[in-house]
Amino acid sequence: MFRRLLWLGVGIGIGVVVVRVVTRQAKKFTPAGLAGSAQESLGGMAGSVRGFLDDVRDGMTEREDEILAAFSDGVSLEQVQLPWARGVGTRFNQFKHELGEYYEK
């Protein structure tokens, strides 16, 4: 008798667990469940895109600062093989300093 009650209790426990798991999985496939999972996916994707755009903006800002600093110093960012353009950055820098001295007078 005790053995039968033990197995009856185990069967009822397993049945409850199975019903709860199946019900939870079935709710995921209802229209509300599908809409909720789609909304979570879109929210995660929007966060990823937002993070990517923030990284791109940071990179653009850094590059703009590098370009502005190089331009104000009169140096080239890239080594270009143009023999006729050698010394342009140095001449521009000298001109800039001369122009500054002219306006200081």
Side-chain angles (χ1 to χ4, degrees):
M1 179 80 173
F2 181 70
R3 185 178 264 175
R4 286 183 182 178
L5 287 175
L6 173 70
W7 286 114
L8 180 65
V10 169
I12 290 173
I14 290 174
V16 168
V17 169
V18 168
V19 168
R20 289 185 67 136
V21 169
V22 168
T23 304
R24 196 175 303 140
Q25 292 297 324
K27 283 183 182 179
K28 289 182 182 178
F29 293 106
T30 62
L34 291 174
S37 65
Q39 186 176 9
E40 289 174 9
S41 297
L42 289 175
M45 185 175 70
S48 297
V49 169
R50 195 173 300 120
F52 172 74
L53 291 176
D54 289 341
D55 291 342
V56 169
R57 275 191 212 104
D58 292 342
M60 285 175 27
T61 303
E62 289 176 13
R63 184 64 177 161
E64 287 173 358
D65 291 342
E66 290 175 7
I67 292 171
L68 182 62
F71 184 74
S72 65
D73 292 342
V75 296
S76 173
L77 291 173
E78 300 170 356
Q79 297 299 325
V80 181
Q81 298 300 325
L82 300 174
W84 55 269
R86 284 207 176 102
V88 171
T90 306
R91 288 193 303 258
F92 174 76
N93 202 18
Q94 289 171 352
F95 173 73
K96 185 176 76 170
H97 288 298
E98 290 172 5
L99 190 63
E101 291 173 3
Y102 174 75
Y103 280 112
E104 288 175 4
K105 291 180 182 179

